[in-house]
Amino acid sequence: NSYMVDNKNKRWTHELRLTTPADKRIRATFGAFYDVNKIEDDTEWRYTLPAAGFIYSLTPTPITNVLGLGPRPVGTGFVNVIERRDRQYAFYGEASFDLIPEKLILTGGLRYYNSQVSMRGGSNSSFFTAARGIYNPATGTYTAAAVPPTNFNTSSNLSVNLAGINPTTYSGVIFKGNLTYKIAPDQLVYATYSEGYRPGGFNRKGCNSTSGSGGLSAAQCALNRAYAPDNVKNYEIGAKLALFDRTMQLNLAAYKIDWTGIQMAAFDQNISNQTFVTNLANARIYGFEGDINVRPSAGLSIGTGFSYNDSKLTGSILPILGNRVLVPLGSPLALSPKFQGNVRVRYEWEMGSGLKPYIQAGFHFVGSTITSSIDNTSVLYTGCVSPYGGGVSGNGSCSNPTATINGVTVRKGNVIAPIQSSFAQPSYRTFDLAIGASKDEWSIELYGQNLGNARPQLFTSGNDGETRVTTSRPLTVGMRVSYKM
């Protein structure tokens, strides 16, 4: 079996920007932005074994065939034909005023955005008997019907699924304000307030049933067809300082971020047999970060970067979904360690022949964190072998009071595959080392990455009822040779 993906992306972007002279006490930038992005998706699952019964060359149904596809190859059992179009435009402006010339600068700006998203097409399948061959149990093969079908069955029609909300437009105004004080030409402190957002979009299938699914009501299922923009508000103070005759560069920032309507991708078959995105939670983050670069002597440089983040979930927008698959309110955000940092030391020198050798060492530390996995964590037995309905063979009614699935007997309403919704990930550290040399246009380097051969947990998920762990690359040794043309 195999699948084929044919995606086409067409984008049309324009921007007009006007800027006043930068040497004036009052200076400004104004602009307009326009962008249209269209994505065409043709994804096909093909079953090459004759026993599968996909013996016809079928064409997607006209109501979903927005890409004008012709007959698909024999063996094709499922086809997604989707066209997504995103259109956005914006007007923006920013102005700066020297309250004290060359010392104290006030900046303010705003941006009006208007984004529209639309989606057409749907899904086609030949999983049902009418679109497959006639099965002969004696030989275990399929033969063509007297009048073979010409089209797939429509399994999902976006004009129906998204009726009344397609297309959807989101608009708003975001702001930015900044106050900067220049202590010296190469030293400054600042305070900033800024806002940001991510555009909203559609789900191809928000729920298994429009009347309610997986604990969500009909009204919640209707809302789950689309997701809205999520928004951040950032409050920040910081400094950028060149010290000790510019042998040290120090950059520091402290911030608070309020994040509302966080967009999260979920795969919960109790709700939908397709991954969907929903505005699931709110959070706040207190953080501090910085980097220090020092050159204590000729040829020697030391660089370090670090961050501390205290993040917390502050609210759940969909309580029924949230109580089942999210960590409790007050928990930290996933993949957000409290502390992480790195140090890099490099020493280089030049020999009389013009050869420039160097040696470099690096250390990287990441504190403990969690992954919050919204991946089929608590699939419920609904009376069907398939958790989203359809009986044993994908059609018919579901009335089995018990079933044995993966060797476990479950009753209607029981959890089929209990998997954690959150996984603890220990802290880890890695070491790197490199030695090399360069001369004129040539350079050569011998490097070793992850010298301790650490195998940290970078991401853990419970997708499809199985726990999967992604780790870093093991100890890697290599050589690079380069020539500048």
Side-chain angles (χ1 to χ4, degrees):
N1 299 336
S2 64
Y3 72 95
M4 183 279 296
V5 178
D6 182 10
N7 282 344
K8 296 180 181 179
N9 191 308
K10 300 178 182 178
R11 191 153 206 161
W12 194 57
T13 300
H14 292 281
E15 184 169 4
L16 174 67
R17 182 178 297 182
L18 302 175
T19 302
T20 65
D23 58 349
K24 302 299 183 181
R25 188 173 182 181
I26 299 178
R27 51 208 175 271
T29 297
F30 304 96
F33 175 78
Y34 183 80
D35 176 79
V36 177
N37 184 31
K38 185 167 72 172
I39 300 174
E40 298 178 350
D41 173 35
D42 168 20
T43 301
E44 303 175 9
W45 281 261
R46 294 173 181 171
Y47 303 81
T48 56
L49 294 176
F54 304 113
I55 63 174
Y56 303 124
S57 176
L58 304 176
T59 302
T61 55
I63 197 170
T64 63
N65 195 9
V66 294
L67 304 183
L69 300 180
R72 312 323 294 156
V74 171
T76 303
F78 189 84
V79 182
N80 279 333
V81 188
I82 308 292
E83 179 193 84
R84 172 170 173 161
R85 181 180 184 273
D86 297 325
R87 187 273 299 149
Q88 60 176 318
Y89 65 86
F91 301 99
Y92 59 87
E94 180 178 289
S96 296
F97 174 60
D98 292 344
L99 298 173
I100 302 176
E102 300 183 2
K103 281 290 186 180
L104 186 61
I105 305 164
L106 177 65
T107 300
L110 57 82
R111 181 184 184 95
Y112 169 79
Y113 66 89
N114 185 294
S115 62
Q116 182 186 84
V117 58
S118 63
M119 190 180 293
R120 301 190 306 141
S123 300
N124 293 253
S125 74
S126 56
F127 294 147
F128 300 102
T129 304
R132 300 169 79 172
I134 301 172
Y135 181 66
N136 185 337
T139 61
T141 60
Y142 290 81
T143 58
V147 182
T150 57
N151 293 102
F152 289 95
N153 298 293
T154 299
S155 55
S156 174
N157 182 358
L158 292 179
S159 64
V160 174
N161 296 355
L162 303 178
I165 62 172
N166 187 16
T168 293
T169 300
Y170 303 99
S171 62
V173 180
I174 56 177
F175 299 92
K176 173 187 176 182
N178 174 269
L179 185 65
T180 297
Y181 179 71
K182 292 186 177 180
I183 304 170
D186 52 6
Q187 298 177 7
L188 63 84
V189 293
Y190 68 90
T192 295
Y193 170 78
S194 57
E195 299 175 348
Y197 75 99
R198 285 188 297 183
F202 291 121
N203 293 311
R204 290 194 297 121
K205 188 176 182 182
C207 281
N208 291 322
S209 171
T210 57
S211 61
S213 184
L216 298 186
S217 66
Q220 288 173 313
C221 283
L223 291 174
N224 208 38
R225 296 180 299 165
Y227 55 94
D230 56 356
N231 301 275
V232 293
K233 294 182 178 180
N234 175 60
Y235 310 82
E236 180 178 345
I237 58 173
K240 300 180 183 294
L241 308 171
L243 305 172
F244 308 114
D245 197 23
R246 297 191 177 185
T247 60
M248 173 186 285
Q249 178 65 43
L250 176 63
N251 301 317
L252 300 171
Y255 48 84
K256 174 180 181 281
I257 298 175
D258 292 324
W259 192 1
T260 57
I262 301 174
Q263 295 175 3
M264 295 185 182
F267 178 48
D268 186 337
Q269 292 193 61
N270 303 297
I271 296 173
S272 174
N273 66 324
Q274 296 177 0
T275 298
F276 59 89
V277 177
T278 184
N279 301 96
L280 202 54
N282 301 326
R284 71 104 181 102
I285 305 167
Y286 295 124
F288 179 80
E289 65 181 15
D291 60 80
I292 305 172
N293 293 280
V294 184
R295 298 183 64 89
S297 62
L300 177 62
S301 61
I302 304 172
T304 180
F306 54 88
S307 67
Y308 174 85
N309 284 283
D310 177 17
S311 62
K312 183 170 72 173
L313 286 172
T314 58
S316 177
I317 297 176
L318 288 178
I320 298 175
L321 179 59
N323 290 342
R324 185 166 65 249
V325 298
L326 286 182
V327 294
L329 297 182
S331 298
L333 290 175
L335 304 178
S336 179
K338 280 204 168 184
F339 179 78
Q340 57 183 327
N342 62 80
V343 179
R344 178 186 57 82
V345 181
R346 181 185 177 98
Y347 183 68
E348 55 187 7
W349 66 99
E350 184 173 358
M351 303 177 69
S353 63
L355 189 68
K356 299 177 181 179
Y358 67 87
I359 182 170
Q360 177 176 297
F363 168 73
H364 186 210
F365 173 81
V366 177
S368 60
T369 182
I370 63 171
T371 58
S372 184
S373 180
I374 315 177
D375 292 321
N376 251 7
T377 55
S378 299
V379 179
L380 303 179
Y381 178 58
T382 61
C384 311
V385 173
S386 168
Y388 45 88
V392 176
S393 62
N395 53 47
S397 61
C398 300
S399 58
N400 303 314
T402 62
T404 301
I405 301 175
N406 298 328
V408 178
T409 300
V410 292
R411 296 182 177 277
K412 190 171 182 177
N414 290 165
V415 175
I416 296 175
I419 297 293
Q420 292 175 246
S421 60
S422 178
F423 300 87
Q425 300 193 157
S427 62
Y428 67 91
R429 54 195 58 80
T430 59
F431 302 88
D432 302 326
L433 182 65
I435 57 174
S438 63
K439 184 178 180 180
D440 300 327
E441 290 81 17
W442 288 94
S443 66
I444 184 171
E445 179 183 80
L446 179 66
Y447 63 89
Q449 298 173 342
N450 191 10
L451 295 179
N453 200 29
R455 302 304 298 270
Q457 296 177 219
L458 302 181
F459 185 78
T460 308
S461 75
N463 195 12
D464 295 331
E466 294 182 355
T467 302
R468 297 185 175 94
V469 177
T470 301
T471 67
S472 65
R473 292 182 65 182
L475 168 64
T476 304
V477 177
M479 184 175 68
R480 299 186 183 96
V481 178
S482 62
Y483 176 78
K484 295 180 180 179
M485 302 294 289

